């Protein structure tokens, strides 16, 4: 999101010009219109006639109440607008994204128990799953930034299609990069890789209780993929335009009316001598303008927290925490506290092969035996 500070100052300057214009018109009208209490009349009579003073105060109260009613309405609409945005941000971070991070930690914790050895085969298995998990996290940030890419130059600037940085970090191998080239939903595809890798290990007999592990891993991978899909759906779904236009229009109307009211109160403060009214309205106009524009900007800045702004989620911090915690799991699995110098091997369940049951109705039928052929000879094409 582009910074809105220049627009805030332009808007504030415009409102001040409007307030001064309102002050000038009301001052001239007060001075030269007989239907309103005149400047000279008030100065001559306010010390002797208290009724004139109360008329001025009543007029001030009516003007202030008009702005107060609109302020209450706008505060209600803007509060709902921003609250819903914050709720979506909270849901993306503490439910959806955290669930993906928890799934990576859960799988690595499982591998720390299943592959506690120091051999290259076990180390490669653990590091591969960890690498794929962090790779999915990195690709999630790239996929989420596509919402801000309206043309090819934006995609290049945001690095949506550039995977060389992941290759340089060691998270993506060259042949894997080719598989992800021009692939949509890359962050979700990685979880298919993880599920397929666990399936291979189950078939190879590298995991204990392979059928139960297969079902558990598939469920976890599918949950992580669904959460990534929901994050991208949240990021790519905007508020209804009619709702956004209504809220923003009401805010701008409030600021314009506040500027007009401030100009009129400037006039009252001049010809009544209560100059602190003018100072109060000046501060109020500045603070109110900045506050309302900042509330509108909150929605834009936190709608997609996967950008590179200072207030967004940190891609590097999330990846570093995942790497550090999972590698701590691997280390704890290799060196649990019950091991000693004499017994250094940690406990590990024995791997098992999947027990397959064959249904006879699914077997291919044999061809009729040729005359003179041995009955035990298998068919050339359908032998089992």
């Amino acid at each position: 999101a582009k910074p809105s500070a220049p627009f805030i100052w332009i808007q504030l300057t415009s409102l001040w010009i409007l307030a001064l214009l309102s002050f000038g018109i009301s001052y001239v009208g007060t001075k030269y219109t007989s239907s309103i209490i005149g400047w000279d009349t008030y100065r001559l009579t306010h010390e002797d006639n208290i009724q004139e003073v109360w008329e001025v105060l009543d007029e001030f109260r009516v003007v202030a109440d008009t702005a107060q009613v609109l302020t209450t309405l706008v505060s209600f609409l803007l509060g709902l607008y921003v609250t819903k945005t914050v709720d979506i941000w909270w849901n993306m971070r503490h439910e959806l994204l955290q669930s993906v991070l928890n799934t990576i930690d859960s799988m690595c914790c499982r591998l720390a128990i299943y592959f506690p050895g120091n051999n290259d085969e076990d180390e490669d298995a653990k590091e591969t799953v960890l690498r794929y998990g962090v790779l999915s996290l990195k690709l999630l940030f790239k996929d989420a930034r596509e919402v801000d890419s309206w043309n090819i130059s934006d995609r290049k600037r945001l690095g949506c299609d550039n995977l060389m940085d992941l290759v340089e970090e060691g998270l993506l191998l060259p042949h894997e990069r080719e598989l992800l080239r021009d692939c949509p939903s890359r962050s979700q595809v990685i979880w298919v890789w993880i599920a397929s890798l666990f399936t291979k290990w189950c078939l190879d007999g590298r995991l204990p209780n392979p059928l139960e592990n297969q079902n558990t891993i598939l469920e976890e991978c599918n949950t992580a993929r669904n959460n990534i899909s929901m994050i991208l759906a949240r990021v790519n779904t905007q508020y209804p335009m009619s709702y956004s236009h209504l809220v923003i229009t009401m805010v701008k109307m409030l600021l314009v009316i506040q500027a007009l009211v401030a100009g009129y109160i400037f006039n009252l403060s001049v010809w009544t001598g209560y100059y602190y009214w003018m100072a109060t309205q000046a501060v109020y106009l500045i603070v109110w303008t900045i506050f309302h524009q900042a509330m509108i900007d909150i929605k834009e800045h936190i709608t997609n927290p996967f950008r590179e702004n200072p207030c967004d989620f940190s891609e590097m911090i999330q990846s570093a925490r995942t790497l550090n915690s999972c590698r701590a799991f691997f280390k704890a699995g290799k060196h649990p506290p019950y091991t000693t110098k004499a017994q250094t091997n940690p406990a590990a369940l024995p791997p098992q092969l999947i027990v397959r049951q064959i249904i006879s109705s699914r077997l291919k039928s044999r061809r009729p035996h040729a005359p003179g052929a041995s009955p035990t000879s298998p068919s050339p094409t359908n032998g089992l």
Side-chain angles (χ1 to χ4, degrees), residues 20-59:
L20 294 176
L21 182 62
S22 173
F23 165 70
I25 294 174
S26 59
Y27 181 83
V28 172
T30 303
K31 188 173 182 64
Y32 296 104
T33 303
S34 58
S35 60
I36 304 178
I37 300 174
W39 165 273
D40 296 331
T41 303
Y42 177 80
R43 292 190 61 182
L44 292 175
T45 61
H46 81 283
E47 294 180 355
D48 302 325
N49 190 358
I50 194 64
Q51 183 178 358
E52 298 286 349
V53 178
W54 285 111
E55 288 179 358
V56 173
L57 295 178
D58 286 342
E59 189 175 2

Side-chain angles (χ1 to χ4, degrees), residues 287-347:
V287 173
W288 213 231
T289 302
I290 296 176
F291 172 77
H292 279 85
Q293 187 61 44
M295 292 291 287
I296 294 175
D297 286 349
I298 287 177
K299 188 264 179 186
E300 172 60 25
H301 283 280
I302 70 175
T303 297
N304 185 2
F306 295 92
R307 301 183 179 112
E308 296 180 339
N309 297 324
C311 60
D312 294 331
F313 300 153
S314 175
E315 175 185 352
M316 295 182 62
I317 290 179
Q318 301 299 334
S319 301
R321 285 178 177 173
T322 301
L323 287 169
N324 292 334
S325 60
C326 290
R327 283 176 177 156
F329 299 159
F330 297 159
K331 183 177 180 181
K334 289 191 294 185
H335 305 287
Y338 60 81
T339 57
T340 61
K341 294 182 178 180
Q343 180 66 30
T344 59
N345 294 328

Side-chain angles (χ1 to χ4, degrees), residues 100-102 104-106 108-109 112 126-138 166 168-172 314-332:
V100 176
L101 298 174
N102 291 342
I104 299 173
D105 292 345
S106 175
C108 290
C109 183
K126 292 182 290 188
E127 287 295 328
T128 299
V129 172
L130 175 57
R131 179 170 63 86
Y132 282 166
V134 177
L135 175 62
S136 175
L137 189 62
K138 293 270 191 177
L166 301 178
E168 294 172 356
E169 289 184 43
L171 296 175
L172 191 63
S314 175
E315 175 185 352
M316 295 182 62
I317 290 179
Q318 301 299 334
S319 301
R321 285 178 177 173
T322 301
L323 287 169
N324 292 334
S325 60
C326 290
R327 283 176 177 156
F329 299 159
F330 297 159
K331 183 177 180 181

